[in-house]
Amino acid sequence: MGLKGSAAPLAGMENRTYTADAEPGDEVTVAGWVHEIRDLGGIAFLILRDTSGRIQVKFEKDEMDDDLVETGLGASRESVVSVTGAVEEEPRAPTGVEVTPESVEVISEADTELPLDPSGKVDAELSTRLDNRTLDLRREEGQAIFEIRAEVMRAVREAFREADATEINTPKIVATGTEGGTELFPITYFGQEAFMNQSPQLFKQLVAGSNLERVFEIGPIFRAEEHNTPRHLNEATSIDFEGAFCDHNDAMDVCESVVVSAYEAVAENCQRQLEALDLEAEFEPPETPFPRLSYEEAIERINATGELDEQLVWGDDLPTEGEKALGDDVGGHYFITDWPAEIKPFYIMDHDDGELSTGFDMMHPRMELVSGGQREHRRDHLIEGFEQQGLDPEAFEYYTKMFDYGMPPHAGWGLGAERLIMTMLDLSNIREAVLFPRDRQRLSP
RNA sequence: GCCCGGGUGGUGUAGUGGCCCAUCAUACGACCCUGUCACGGUCGUGACGCGGGUUCAAAUCCCGCCUCGGGCGCCA
């Protein structure tokens, strides 16, 4: 559960002990990175760091073997070392315990000039950090983010299972775009034109129409938009849900429970990681139920804030500034429902009047997290929608055909995993929430 | 796609025409120090993104390129 060091079943490599598990009276071998060496003259301390934390190794120069002292204190920062010795209680040590070494081995030496400082004394810019992600993730903040991300994914899967949804995986290499509009990455597939998929939308609908009924997918999506912002990625992780015999309200219920479950799991199981991020005091799951504002109410409230230079009128999409004004006004997660039909995609079902759709967005005060709705399951309406959006229904025959064989009413949504993590942990840049982000200028590592 | 702002030792920064063979921190090297916990102290090594131009004089002004970040649009 990410709490390394408590009842760890496996620390690896014959009899290695995690630093956090070293108890006074034990004879242990600890292995990790040289975090720092503090040489006070007659006595020196090597701080050894591993995934579970840190431990201090003591070198008393007059009382120890010269070779041992030389090896230990000669190791450069971030070198990988293994230390065997007795663990003793020592109130003067940072963690209350200290290792008196009997043997020290330098397993892998690090260059003395590092591209960034894992001890965190000197900041590094995000691009320097991403270029050297391994070193960057030796900082406890980075480690914490990805341990929390893993816990979020675990909790999300569990919440979906509780909602009777089956995990699926759909293709990322596709012949046609999902919705038109957004830019796709073209690739060549054995001489045929193909694309990286922007969304599992159409595929998850096809599976919702099967006996699986309720499905979810956690997987990559690709968008070739040349945006350059702290909240966009060209390769992102989408958490998708689609359920047969669900309407948009049911879909919102599932959405809310999945998001809240993720927060609760982190609050419950990631205390140490939250402390590393200095969030333990303020972190709490969002209040439920999330308010459900209609689109019309949303634009009225935005206009009432007076934050925008120009008043919004019915039919406008919400500008970024408006989303922020509304987010500040609401102060927590919320849904925007009943969008004008014309600004939602063809596969979203309209309400009876045709003016409004069942489409909804789920918002965090900082940004949009989720987009969803009830889907159009009536073949005729669907084909009409394709044509209205300037798409050729023929190209999507693999999809539309299945609406001829009994397609139940269904609804679903897609949640940006990185945006969820970013807003949950108040990260200033979405790239912090991805190990190796892909953006307008970054293709490696 | 449109717009704006940056690039100075390994890292992060100060420096808006001469005061700069460039500031500070950290790292690195040497030396001193027996309880550090951002250990401390002394000394030292190390940098103006690339190319062109203006000027008596360019890190500083201009142009082009490369590169990074941000705002909008669009979206998750």
Side-chain angles (χ1 to χ4, degrees):
Chain A
M1 209 131 300
L3 284 179
K4 286 167 190 154
S6 59
L10 177 70
M13 289 173 80
E14 47 180 308
N15 303 322
R16 176 187 172 223
T17 301
Y18 279 134
T19 57
D21 293 335
E23 298 290 342
D26 291 351
E27 172 82 15
V28 298
T29 296
V30 288
W33 292 265
V34 176
H35 186 70
E36 194 164 20
I37 289 172
R38 300 201 185 100
D39 190 340
L40 275 63
I43 192 168
F45 304 103
L46 182 157
I47 314 297
L48 183 141
R49 187 192 67 241
D50 68 11
T51 192
S52 71
R54 297 175 201 166
I55 199 163
Q56 175 162 290
V57 181
K58 173 181 66 176
F59 292 88
E60 281 180 300
K61 295 178 187 172
D62 292 342
E63 296 165 31
M64 287 182 181
D65 181 70
D66 287 349
D67 286 347
L68 181 76
V69 172
E70 201 180 314
T71 304
L73 301 185
S76 52
R77 279 161 80 234
E78 297 305 318
S79 291
V80 176
V81 298
S82 169
V83 177
T84 300
V87 184
E88 285 152 25
E89 194 172 331
E90 174 51 75
R92 290 172 294 184
T95 58
V97 297
E98 170 175 274
V99 176
T100 303
E102 276 140 37
S103 70
V104 175
E105 186 192 350
V106 178
I107 295 169
S108 172
E109 201 148 356
D111 278 358
T112 50
E113 292 213 320
L114 302 169
L116 58 80
D117 171 21
S119 75
K121 279 181 231 171
V122 181
D123 289 341
E125 287 191 0
L126 185 57
S127 90
T128 304
R129 293 173 41 212
L130 294 174
D131 284 339
N132 300 279
R133 205 46 154 150
T134 304
L135 285 172
D136 182 45
L137 295 177
R138 290 181 191 168
R139 293 163 52 252
E140 59 181 7
E141 295 89 343
Q143 178 187 354
I145 289 169
F146 291 98
E147 287 174 352
I148 288 173
R149 181 177 161 132
E151 176 61 12
V152 164
M153 294 304 186
R154 190 202 61 73
V156 162
R157 286 192 162 90
E158 190 179 292
F160 277 128
R161 296 300 282 168
E162 277 168 20
D164 284 335
T166 302
E167 182 161 9
I168 60 168
N169 294 282
T170 62
K172 304 306 155 202
I173 301 173
V174 296
T176 48
T178 303
E179 297 148 45
T182 192
E183 295 290 321
L184 301 171
F185 288 109
I187 60 167
T188 303
Y189 192 73
F190 301 119
Q192 256 188 288
E193 183 186 53
F195 301 94
M196 303 301 290
N197 206 183
Q198 66 167 111
S199 153
Q201 181 59 38
L202 271 30
F203 291 104
K204 65 179 179 170
Q205 285 188 257
L206 293 177
V207 187
S210 78
N211 245 30
L212 268 54
E213 290 197 14
R214 288 180 173 210
V215 295
F216 73 98
E217 174 165 12
I218 301 175
I221 56 171
F222 304 89
R223 309 257 164 119
E225 298 288 342
E226 296 195 35
H227 34 45
N228 189 8
T229 80
R231 60 185 184 283
H232 287 95
L233 293 163
N234 294 292
E235 177 176 351
T237 308
S238 183
I239 298 170
D240 269 88
F241 169 76
E242 201 68 31
F245 304 102
C246 289
D247 66 13
H248 55 292
N249 290 311
D250 300 322
M252 281 189 272
D253 290 345
V254 174
C255 175
E256 189 172 310
S257 89
V258 164
V259 169
V260 170
S261 299
Y263 272 83
E264 284 173 346
V266 171
E268 181 82 9
N269 300 321
C270 299
Q271 216 36 53
R272 178 188 153 197
Q273 287 79 1
L274 290 171
E275 280 165 26
L277 294 167
D278 209 19
L279 291 172
E280 75 278 15
E282 67 224 57
F283 190 87
E284 54 184 39
E287 281 182 34
T288 55
F290 298 172
R292 296 183 185 185
L293 279 64
S294 70
Y295 165 84
E296 192 169 357
E297 289 173 283
I299 57 173
E300 279 167 11
R301 279 179 74 161
I302 292 169
N303 285 337
T305 64
E307 292 289 322
L308 266 55
D309 294 336
E310 279 184 48
Q311 296 274 292
L312 296 172
V313 297
W314 203 89
D316 286 345
D317 211 339
L318 303 188
T320 304
E321 205 185 348
E323 283 181 5
K324 282 180 181 151
L326 183 56
D328 289 343
D329 196 33
V330 177
H333 292 77
Y334 63 98
F335 288 98
I336 302 176
T337 65
D338 302 296
W339 287 77
E342 62 182 22
I343 57 176
K344 284 290 173 186
F346 65 86
Y347 53 78
I348 299 282
M349 186 181 275
D350 297 342
H351 284 124
D352 295 339
D353 61 9
E355 281 287 294
L356 296 175
S357 77
T358 62
F360 63 84
D361 287 354
M362 197 276 279
M363 314 289 295
H364 176 276
R366 284 177 72 191
M367 70 189 77
E368 180 181 343
L369 255 35
V370 172
S371 179
Q374 184 171 168
R375 315 309 186 185
E376 182 54 75
H377 65 281
R378 299 164 298 184
R379 191 177 190 281
D380 297 351
H381 289 76
L382 194 63
I383 300 293
E384 230 171 82
F386 269 109
E387 282 161 356
Q388 275 169 14
Q389 228 160 84
L391 296 169
D392 175 14
E394 295 288 310
F396 294 87
E397 209 209 335
Y398 70 91
Y399 170 72
T400 54
K401 205 169 60 182
M402 293 303 136
F403 289 73
D404 285 334
Y405 306 131
M407 182 59 77
H410 59 286
W413 43 263
L415 160 64
E418 286 81 14
R419 286 190 174 186
L420 175 64
I421 304 295
M422 177 187 185
T423 52
M424 177 184 279
L425 303 180
D426 200 24
L427 305 175
S428 62
N429 194 308
I430 198 165
R431 295 165 180 86
E432 300 270 7
V434 191
L435 286 170
F436 302 104
R438 290 291 171 263
D439 63 34
R440 180 66 193 88
Q441 26 261 338
R442 181 171 293 275
L443 189 53
S444 106

